[in-house]
Amino acid sequence: MKLSNSTYDILKDIALIFPLVITLVGAIMKIWNIPYAAEVCATLTAINAFIGGLVAIANKLYILKNKKVK
C-alpha cells in the first residue's frame, strides 16, 4: 500500500485526534441520555483502529522500502 505524504499525514492526524472526539461524543451522549452511546463509541473506536492500522502498515512499508534503497 502506497500513500502520498499528505494522505499519510492526514490519516495520522485523524488517528491521533479521533480518540478525543470519541471521548467527547461519548460523554455528551451519556450526559444527555442520548440512546446508543456505547454503540456509537464502539463504532467510532473501530473506525479509528482501522485508520491507525492503515497508518501503521503504510509506515512499516515505507521503512522497509527505504532500508532496501540504502
Side-chain angles (χ1 to χ4, degrees):
M1 169 193 346
K2 184 176 179 180
L3 298 175
S4 68
N5 286 342
S6 61
T7 302
Y8 174 83
D9 290 340
I10 290 169
L11 287 176
K12 187 176 82 171
D13 290 344
I14 289 171
L16 292 172
I17 294 170
F18 212 45
L20 302 173
V21 174
I22 294 167
T23 303
L24 176 64
V25 167
I28 290 172
M29 290 182 79
K30 287 287 188 183
I31 291 168
W32 291 96
N33 293 320
I34 298 171
Y36 305 110
E39 290 84 352
V40 169
C41 289
T43 302
L44 294 175
T45 301
I47 293 168
N48 190 53
F50 179 75
I51 293 170
L54 291 177
V55 170
I57 291 169
N59 185 32
K60 185 70 171 179
L61 292 174
Y62 177 81
I63 290 170
L64 290 173
K65 179 183 173 191
N66 286 332
K67 282 186 179 179
K68 291 180 183 177
V69 173
K70 292 181 180 179

